């Protein structure tokens, strides 16, 4: 889809649930609904938005479309490095499968059935977020010692691999590379680490051409029955990545970003205790959130 086609496809009301499809729903995440197609899966991104492990009662209209289209754009770039979980002739396959549900086409992916690895492959190029908090305490991030005197948002000497567990409920837990190797086995660990760093290098280069800084991100991987490694889930979206505008970037403070931080900041400002039920987001926060997601997509797809 072109940027203009995506813009025109954005709904006025948020899609919070996917109903009426003639396929068995096998999972429902914070954002995505997953349906069984036999030897494949249908993944439909809703407009739900979460923060602090809670789903907000109202969503961001079109967010699922924007996330899906950003992922599809990045999957096309990532295919130069490694295979992805998208089925062959993906766009045509989605259009045919959902011909009776055209409103879902732009927010859907059809993917291979793979065995997801039980870790999230987090990679950091800048000192931000939880990495900054840990550095202030230990001058390191997990098993990566860092130079003394670094500033918040400063670029790291080199990108570092800082994986985490994948929690079914609650928070993911950061783990060392050694622990990750124990979980995955050394051969798979080495492939995952190499793929993660290569994909981050590609993402950073592309983002740089788009006037963006890719501070950090996470990837997910899966294996087929033959043990081949595939890139799965979402790729380099504002939900899984921290993007900053190059313009105005300055170490020593937090940076404006094209991600959910805007929503998190609002929830912090109103003093929400981060316990269910989550508060509804006001219209201006919803509108600003959609603008940020679309802004990231527009910058990337304008290359």
């Amino acid at each position: 889809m072109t940027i203009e086609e995506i813009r025109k496809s954005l709904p006025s009301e948020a899609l919070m649930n996917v109903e009426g499809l003639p396929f068995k729903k096998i999972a429902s995440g914070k954002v995505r609904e997953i349906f069984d197609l036999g030897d494949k899966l249908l993944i439909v991104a809703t407009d739900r938005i979460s923060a602090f492990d809670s789903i907000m009662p109202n969503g961001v209209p079109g967010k699922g479309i924007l996330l899906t289209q950003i992922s599809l754009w990045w999957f096309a770039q990532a295919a130069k490095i490694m295979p992805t979980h998208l089925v062959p002739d993906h766009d045509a396959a989605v259009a045919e499968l959902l011909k009776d549900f055209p409103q879902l086409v732009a927010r859907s992916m059809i993917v291979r059935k793979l065995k997801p690895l039980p870790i999230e492959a987090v990679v950091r190029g800048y000192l931000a977020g939880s990495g900054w908090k840990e550095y202030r305490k230990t001058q390191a991030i997990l098993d990566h010692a860092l130079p003394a005197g670094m500033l918040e948002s400063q670029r790291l000497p080199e990108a570092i691999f800082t994986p985490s567990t994948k929690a079914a409920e609650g928070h993911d837990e950061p783990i060392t590379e050694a622990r990750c190797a124990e979980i995955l086995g050394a051969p798979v660990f080495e492939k995952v680490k190499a793929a993660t760093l290569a994909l981050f290098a590609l993402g950073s280069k592309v983002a740089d051409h788009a006037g963006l800084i890719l501070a950090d991100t996470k990837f997910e991987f899966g294996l087929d029955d033959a043990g081949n490694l595939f890139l799965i889930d979402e790729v380099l979206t504002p939900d899984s990545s921290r993007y900053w505008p190059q313009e105005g970037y300055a170490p020593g403070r937090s940076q404006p970003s094209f991600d959910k931080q805007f929503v998190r900041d609002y929830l912090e400002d109103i003093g929400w205790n981060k316990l269910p039920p989550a508060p509804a987001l006001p219209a201006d926060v919803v509108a600003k959130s959609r603008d940020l997601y679309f802004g990231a997509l527009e910058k990337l797809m304008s290359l």
Side-chain angles (χ1 to χ4, degrees), residues 64-227:
I65 293 174
L66 296 172
L67 288 179
T68 299
Q69 295 304 314
I70 291 174
S71 274
L72 290 174
W73 191 87
W74 276 113
F75 272 126
Q77 317 307 312
K80 303 167 188 173
I81 292 177
M82 67 179 303
T84 77
H85 68 166
L86 296 181
V87 299
D89 300 318
H90 176 267
D91 292 354
V94 171
E96 175 61 26
L97 181 73
L98 297 176
K99 59 187 176 184
D100 295 328
F101 304 90
Q103 73 279 11
L104 299 181
V105 169
R107 60 174 76 240
S108 299
M109 292 189 292
I110 300 176
V111 305
R112 309 166 194 260
K113 275 189 175 178
L114 300 166
K115 181 182 178 182
L117 297 183
I119 61 101
E120 290 190 336
V122 180
V123 56
R124 303 172 188 273
Y126 288 76
L127 197 53
S130 61
W132 167 241
K133 291 179 182 178
E134 184 174 349
Y135 171 79
R136 291 171 67 187
K137 296 177 182 177
T138 66
Q139 289 199 347
I141 301 178
L142 295 170
D143 42 349
H144 298 277
L146 297 173
M150 292 192 70
L151 303 174
E152 181 179 9
S153 304
Q154 186 173 342
R155 186 171 184 173
L156 298 173
E158 61 181 6
I160 57 174
F161 180 54
T162 59
S164 70
T165 60
K166 284 164 60 174
E169 295 182 3
H171 295 281
D172 300 330
E173 294 294 335
I175 53 176
T176 63
E177 289 193 12
R179 177 60 183 142
C180 187
E182 289 177 1
I183 294 171
L184 299 181
V188 174
F189 166 77
E190 293 297 341
K191 290 179 182 178
V192 166
K193 180 180 177 181
T196 296
L197 294 174
L199 289 165
F200 185 73
L202 171 67
S204 298
K205 182 177 179 180
V206 173
D208 181 63
H209 289 312
L212 299 172
I213 294 170
L214 178 60
D216 52 52
T217 191
K218 65 178 181 179
F219 300 108
E220 295 200 37
F221 299 94
L223 298 172
D224 66 9
D225 291 339

Side-chain angles (χ1 to χ4, degrees), residues 28-32 46 48-50 52-55 170 260:
S28 183
K30 290 176 182 174
V31 175
R32 292 167 180 80
T46 69
R48 298 192 292 261
I49 188 166
S50 65
F52 303 114
D53 293 317
S54 292
I55 299 173
K260 292 190 296 186

